[in-house]
Amino acid sequence: MVLKKIAAIGLTVLMTASMVACGSSSATNSAKDAAQGASDAGAAAASTAAAAAGATEGAAPAAASGEVIDDGPGAGVHVFMFKSTGNSFGDLMYEGFSEYMHSIGEKTTYQSPAETTVAAQVQMLDELITQGVASITISTNGDSGYDQVFKKAQDAGIPIISIDSAASPDYRVTHVNQAETNDIGAYLVQAAVLIKLGVDFPGDGKAMKDTLAKELEGYSGDPIKLGVLSAGIDTPVQNGWIAAMEEELKDSIYSGKVDPEIDKKYGNDDLTESTTQAQAFVSEAKVDAIISPTTIGIVAAGQVLKSANSDIVLTGLGLPSEMQSFMPTKADDNAFDYVCPYMMLWDVIHLGAVAGAAQKAIADGSFDGSVGSTFHMEAFRDYPAEDYEGYTFSDNGTAVLAGTPYIFYKDNMADWINVL
Ligand code: RAM
């Protein structure tokens, strides 16, 4: 069933200009087609609930570029489950997953609970497994509590891969990692401190550390204090990034200049809770910069800091469409007139497509998720065909690397507002 047709707007942009190279990448971020942005994808997700299970019979409909199809849950359908509904980041990953899968004749459905909890995901998974779905691709809300339901999937021969937020290596075939965890954590710290020091994005992600080292050498003020406004307290993906931030802060360039302790608050990827936590940062007045490694948290913090006309600066992981009121959008803007002068993310649509290609290869028996095992992703949209290879992930399971962090700043925001 075609639930949503999104008009492509014809603009083609390359995610290369300010890419942060991360050395270990076996894949590259690709050129991408500028399809309609997050709000339309959100509308598609909202319609998901209306998808009829009966639609699973017959051949999978083909999808045009930017078209989001939900075949509804049922036997033989590939399930994509995000942490919860109402999050454009999840909607965009599903857009890529669904479009890629339909381009190769597979059926998909987007199934996420209303609540961002382990229990809510487990209950949905249980029902989907009983229906005999073809596979499960999940972004988890926690690192425990899934064993029983994952075992049920395993016993039923339903492969599980995780994306964004990892599932236990005991049950997943592999994890689709958006970009290297250590890179994301390090770059977020570097960006936050550079922004606090009033330094524009140097135009190249790799140049951030050198620029920062020079700036900090001449810094003699009070130690800069960083705060993090995260998602859930147990969310694997954000906790991995926070650990990488703490590691980065051990580098000697920060010694005596930036407090090694991060003040952490959790908004559970809920706009209201994240707003309350951002307000707490403002009223406590202890931090100089907030890093929000969640697209929901960074929007809440942007709004709070802007309304309060606060001196606290902001960076993190955000969608350009949702951050345009809090960021510079033109090359001649003064970045420091905005609460968030620059931020990061990766190509979320492409990420979802890589997970689709992994599931297809698992179904065909050509990829088993082990280190060195590979799968092929066909070209789709402007993305070239590409091969991905399993490697050892930080939790000792395996992952495939889908991309690299990408910096959004005043020179490129306008290109992305209608895309992501
Ligand atoms: C949020 C989610 C997701 C995270 C992105 C950056 O939408 O918390 O897990 O990866 O932000």
Side-chain angles (χ1 to χ4, degrees), residues 82-83 87 89 139 164 178 231 237-238 241 269 293-296 317 345-346:
F82 190 58
K83 292 164 159 186
N87 186 327
F89 182 92
S139 171
D164 177 51
Q178 35 229 343
V237 66
Q238 273 84 17
W241 294 327
D269 269 352
T294 133
T295 57
I296 304 280
L317 303 176
L345 204 66
W346 39 84

Short mmCIF file of all heavy atoms in Angstrom, two decimals, residues 82-83 87 89 139 164 178 231 237-238 241 269 293-296 317 345-346, ligand 1:
data_model
loop_
_atom_site.label_atom_id
_atom_site.label_comp_id
_atom_site.label_asym_id
_atom_site.label_seq_id
_atom_site.Cartn_x
_atom_site.Cartn_y
_atom_site.Cartn_z
N PHE A 82 11.84 1.74 15.22
CA PHE A 82 12.64 2.79 15.86
C PHE A 82 12.30 2.82 17.35
O PHE A 82 11.44 2.10 17.83
CB PHE A 82 12.41 4.15 15.17
CG PHE A 82 13.38 5.19 15.63
CD1 PHE A 82 14.75 4.99 15.49
CD2 PHE A 82 12.94 6.35 16.26
CE1 PHE A 82 15.67 5.93 15.96
CE2 PHE A 82 13.85 7.29 16.72
CZ PHE A 82 15.20 7.08 16.58
N LYS A 83 13.00 3.70 18.10
CA LYS A 83 12.82 3.79 19.54
C LYS A 83 11.38 4.14 19.92
O LYS A 83 10.84 3.65 20.89
CB LYS A 83 13.73 4.87 20.11
CG LYS A 83 15.22 4.55 20.05
CD LYS A 83 15.99 5.85 20.27
CE LYS A 83 17.40 5.65 20.72
NZ LYS A 83 18.04 6.93 21.05
N ASN A 87 9.53 10.75 15.84
CA ASN A 87 10.92 11.17 15.77
C ASN A 87 11.35 11.14 14.29
O ASN A 87 11.44 10.07 13.68
CB ASN A 87 11.78 10.23 16.62
CG ASN A 87 13.22 10.69 16.71
OD1 ASN A 87 13.76 11.27 15.78
ND2 ASN A 87 13.85 10.41 17.84
N PHE A 89 14.10 11.45 12.87
CA PHE A 89 15.31 10.67 12.62
C PHE A 89 14.93 9.23 12.24
O PHE A 89 15.44 8.66 11.27
CB PHE A 89 16.20 10.71 13.86
CG PHE A 89 17.52 9.98 13.70
CD1 PHE A 89 18.64 10.67 13.28
CD2 PHE A 89 17.63 8.63 14.00
CE1 PHE A 89 19.86 10.01 13.14
CE2 PHE A 89 18.84 7.97 13.87
CZ PHE A 89 19.96 8.66 13.44
N SER A 139 16.26 -0.10 16.43
CA SER A 139 17.06 0.83 17.23
C SER A 139 16.53 0.70 18.66
O SER A 139 15.37 1.01 18.93
CB SER A 139 16.87 2.27 16.71
OG SER A 139 17.45 3.19 17.60
N ASP A 164 21.52 2.29 14.50
CA ASP A 164 21.53 3.45 15.40
C ASP A 164 21.89 3.04 16.83
O ASP A 164 22.96 3.33 17.30
CB ASP A 164 20.19 4.21 15.31
CG ASP A 164 20.11 5.38 16.27
OD1 ASP A 164 21.04 6.20 16.26
OD2 ASP A 164 19.11 5.49 17.01
N GLN A 178 26.26 4.02 12.25
CA GLN A 178 26.12 5.22 11.41
C GLN A 178 27.46 5.87 11.09
O GLN A 178 27.71 6.33 9.98
CB GLN A 178 25.20 6.23 12.09
CG GLN A 178 25.33 6.26 13.61
CD GLN A 178 23.96 6.20 14.29
OE1 GLN A 178 22.95 6.45 13.67
NE2 GLN A 178 23.93 5.89 15.57
N ALA A 231 19.44 11.32 25.53
CA ALA A 231 18.14 10.66 25.35
C ALA A 231 17.84 9.91 26.65
O ALA A 231 17.78 10.52 27.71
CB ALA A 231 18.19 9.76 24.13
N VAL A 237 23.25 3.80 22.28
CA VAL A 237 23.99 4.63 21.32
C VAL A 237 24.47 5.94 21.96
O VAL A 237 25.63 6.31 21.83
CB VAL A 237 23.18 4.86 20.02
CG1 VAL A 237 21.92 5.69 20.25
CG2 VAL A 237 24.04 5.50 18.95
N GLN A 238 23.60 6.63 22.68
CA GLN A 238 24.04 7.88 23.30
C GLN A 238 25.09 7.62 24.37
O GLN A 238 26.04 8.41 24.52
CB GLN A 238 22.84 8.63 23.91
CG GLN A 238 22.12 9.56 22.92
CD GLN A 238 21.09 8.88 22.06
OE1 GLN A 238 20.67 7.76 22.36
NE2 GLN A 238 20.70 9.51 20.97
N TRP A 241 28.45 7.39 22.81
CA TRP A 241 29.00 8.69 22.42
C TRP A 241 29.49 9.48 23.64
O TRP A 241 30.51 10.16 23.59
CB TRP A 241 27.95 9.52 21.66
CG TRP A 241 27.55 8.93 20.35
CD1 TRP A 241 28.36 8.20 19.49
CD2 TRP A 241 26.27 8.99 19.71
NE1 TRP A 241 27.63 7.83 18.39
CE2 TRP A 241 26.36 8.30 18.48
CE3 TRP A 241 25.04 9.57 20.05
CZ2 TRP A 241 25.28 8.17 17.60
CZ3 TRP A 241 23.98 9.44 19.19
CH2 TRP A 241 24.10 8.75 17.98
N ASP A 269 14.38 11.51 24.82
CA ASP A 269 13.91 11.72 23.45
C ASP A 269 12.44 12.16 23.42
O ASP A 269 11.70 11.86 22.48
CB ASP A 269 14.11 10.47 22.57
CG ASP A 269 15.48 10.52 21.87
OD1 ASP A 269 16.15 11.57 21.94
OD2 ASP A 269 15.85 9.51 21.25
N PRO A 293 23.29 15.00 21.99
CA PRO A 293 23.50 13.98 20.95
C PRO A 293 22.21 13.27 20.58
O PRO A 293 22.18 12.06 20.41
CB PRO A 293 24.51 13.04 21.62
CG PRO A 293 24.16 13.10 23.07
CD PRO A 293 23.59 14.47 23.34
N THR A 294 21.16 14.02 20.46
CA THR A 294 19.87 13.47 20.03
C THR A 294 19.10 14.57 19.32
O THR A 294 19.10 15.73 19.77
CB THR A 294 19.00 12.92 21.20
OG1 THR A 294 17.65 13.41 21.08
CG2 THR A 294 19.52 13.35 22.55
N THR A 295 18.45 14.21 18.23
CA THR A 295 17.75 15.22 17.42
C THR A 295 16.58 15.85 18.17
O THR A 295 16.20 16.97 17.87
CB THR A 295 17.25 14.60 16.10
OG1 THR A 295 16.40 13.49 16.38
CG2 THR A 295 18.40 14.14 15.23
N ILE A 296 16.02 15.13 19.13
CA ILE A 296 14.92 15.69 19.91
C ILE A 296 15.50 16.66 20.95
O ILE A 296 15.02 17.79 21.12
CB ILE A 296 14.12 14.59 20.65
CG1 ILE A 296 13.60 13.54 19.66
CG2 ILE A 296 13.01 15.19 21.50
CD1 ILE A 296 12.38 13.87 18.88
N LEU A 317 23.79 16.65 17.74
CA LEU A 317 23.37 15.91 16.54
C LEU A 317 21.94 16.33 16.22
O LEU A 317 21.03 16.11 17.01
CB LEU A 317 23.42 14.41 16.82
CG LEU A 317 24.78 13.87 17.27
CD1 LEU A 317 24.68 12.38 17.62
CD2 LEU A 317 25.84 14.09 16.19
N LEU A 345 25.62 15.50 11.94
CA LEU A 345 24.80 14.29 11.77
C LEU A 345 25.41 13.46 10.64
O LEU A 345 26.60 13.65 10.33
CB LEU A 345 23.32 14.62 11.48
CG LEU A 345 22.32 13.51 11.85
CD1 LEU A 345 22.25 13.27 13.34
CD2 LEU A 345 20.92 13.81 11.34
N TRP A 346 24.68 12.61 10.05
CA TRP A 346 25.13 11.80 8.92
C TRP A 346 23.93 11.61 8.03
O TRP A 346 22.84 12.10 8.33
CB TRP A 346 25.71 10.46 9.41
CG TRP A 346 24.91 9.90 10.52
CD1 TRP A 346 23.78 9.16 10.43
CD2 TRP A 346 25.14 10.15 11.92
NE1 TRP A 346 23.29 8.92 11.68
CE2 TRP A 346 24.09 9.50 12.61
CE3 TRP A 346 26.11 10.83 12.65
CZ2 TRP A 346 24.00 9.53 14.00
CZ3 TRP A 346 26.02 10.86 14.02
CH2 TRP A 346 24.98 10.20 14.69
C1 RAM B 1 17.65 10.86 17.99
C2 RAM B 1 17.74 9.47 18.49
C3 RAM B 1 18.78 8.64 17.80
C4 RAM B 1 20.04 9.41 17.55
C5 RAM B 1 19.75 10.67 16.82
C6 RAM B 1 21.00 11.49 16.56
O1 RAM B 1 16.67 11.00 17.06
O2 RAM B 1 17.99 9.54 19.84
O3 RAM B 1 19.06 7.51 18.57
O4 RAM B 1 20.97 8.66 16.87
O5 RAM B 1 18.86 11.44 17.58
#
